Amino acid sequence: MNNETIELMSVLKNIKDESCLDEYLVDIYDKYKGLEFKTFFEDILKHKQITKSELIKNARIDRTYGYQILNGSKKPSRDKVIKLCIGASLDIKETNKALRLADCGELYSKNLRDAVIIFGVNKGIDILKLDELLYDRGLACLDD
């Protein structure tokens, strides 16, 4: 666990009653849930100076569905989030943050498929090459 998680676990352990728990939950919500998936990607696009259409093309996602994901009207699958992250050339920390914000669960290094995806993200491999790596190892490719 990272230091921040350890600190939060310590705070939770020392909560005395339900009213303190409610205060903690409000603080956590404000700090960690205030950022939405949509806002996260808006910031990424601005920072990396790429357009939504470039991202969607790089992510190899259907154009209409990609725009719906980015404007918040559709909830993306885990694989679609991963594809968007690869399309935006995000690192593993940013990819896991996007997965958390989308409520899709972070990449887990003990999971074979996730381990290949982590490798691909770390090496900056594009989606086609990553799908090839997954396929060659008998693992499910990123969804279409």
Side-chain angles (χ1 to χ4, degrees), residues 33-82:
K33 291 294 182 181
L35 181 62
E36 295 178 355
F37 180 80
K38 174 186 159 199
T39 308
F40 174 76
F41 263 96
E42 287 170 357
D43 293 345
I44 292 293
L45 291 171
K46 199 176 297 178
H47 175 72
K48 296 204 176 243
Q49 298 181 345
I50 58 175
T51 65
K52 287 181 181 180
S53 64
E54 289 171 318
L55 171 62
I56 292 165
K57 181 181 175 188
N58 293 344
R60 304 185 64 81
I61 294 175
D62 173 74
R63 188 177 70 80
T64 302
Y65 189 63
Y67 279 105
Q68 290 171 335
I69 292 170
L70 293 175
N71 74 22
S73 64
K74 293 282 186 184
K75 182 180 176 359
S77 67
R78 188 171 191 257
D79 280 359
K80 292 286 192 276
V81 173
I82 292 167

Side-chain angles (χ1 to χ4, degrees), residues 16 41 94 116:
K16 304 262 187 259
F41 263 96
E94 294 166 322
V116 173

Side-chain angles (χ1 to χ4, degrees), residues 1 7-8 11 16 26 29 37 94 121 127:
M1 284 192 275
E7 182 181 323
L8 293 174
V11 170
K16 304 262 187 259
V26 168
Y29 182 81
F37 180 80
E94 294 166 322
V121 169
I127 291 165

